[in-house]
Amino acid sequence: MRWQPVNLSALAKAIAAELRRAEPGRAVQFVIEPNLRAEGDERLLQVVLDNLLGNAWKFARHRPDARIEFGLTGQPEPAFFVRDNGVGFDMT
């Protein structure tokens, strides 16, 4: 592992661009908060974001107004998030 500062917003934008290139006919709105940074192994963080954004891309597939967000929340404590308006999961 190589611990270093990582621009998560830049990683998310690159992944979003690749998803769009793979399926150019899909209309998906990406909302990526700018300048989100963390400390960690850039390669591993890219794998995590690729999986999370890829799942959001997959589960928002049937939405004509598909929206995928990457951001930072402060409540109850700071945390990065990926959110989409896809089908979701039945937690029961």
Side-chain angles (χ1 to χ4, degrees), residues 29-88:
Q29 178 187 17
F30 277 94
V31 179
I32 298 171
E33 192 172 323
N35 299 315
L36 294 180
R37 298 178 182 277
E39 296 269 333
D41 185 288
E42 185 171 8
R43 189 176 41 87
L44 293 176
L45 289 168
Q46 182 171 358
V47 169
V48 169
L49 277 177
D50 191 44
N51 285 327
L52 291 171
L53 292 169
N55 282 341
W57 179 266
K58 179 171 53 173
F59 289 112
R61 177 173 307 281
H62 300 292
R63 297 290 304 244
D65 62 340
R67 178 181 170 103
I68 299 171
E69 299 175 48
F70 174 63
L72 177 69
T73 182
Q75 299 298 324
E77 28 185 280
F80 297 103
F81 66 84
V82 172
R83 178 171 36 219
D84 66 79
N85 65 347
V87 295

Side-chain angles (χ1 to χ4, degrees), residues 19-34:
L19 290 168
R20 285 189 173 124
R21 262 191 301 278
E23 292 185 65
R26 287 195 52 197
V28 177
Q29 178 187 17
F30 277 94
V31 179
I32 298 171
E33 192 172 323

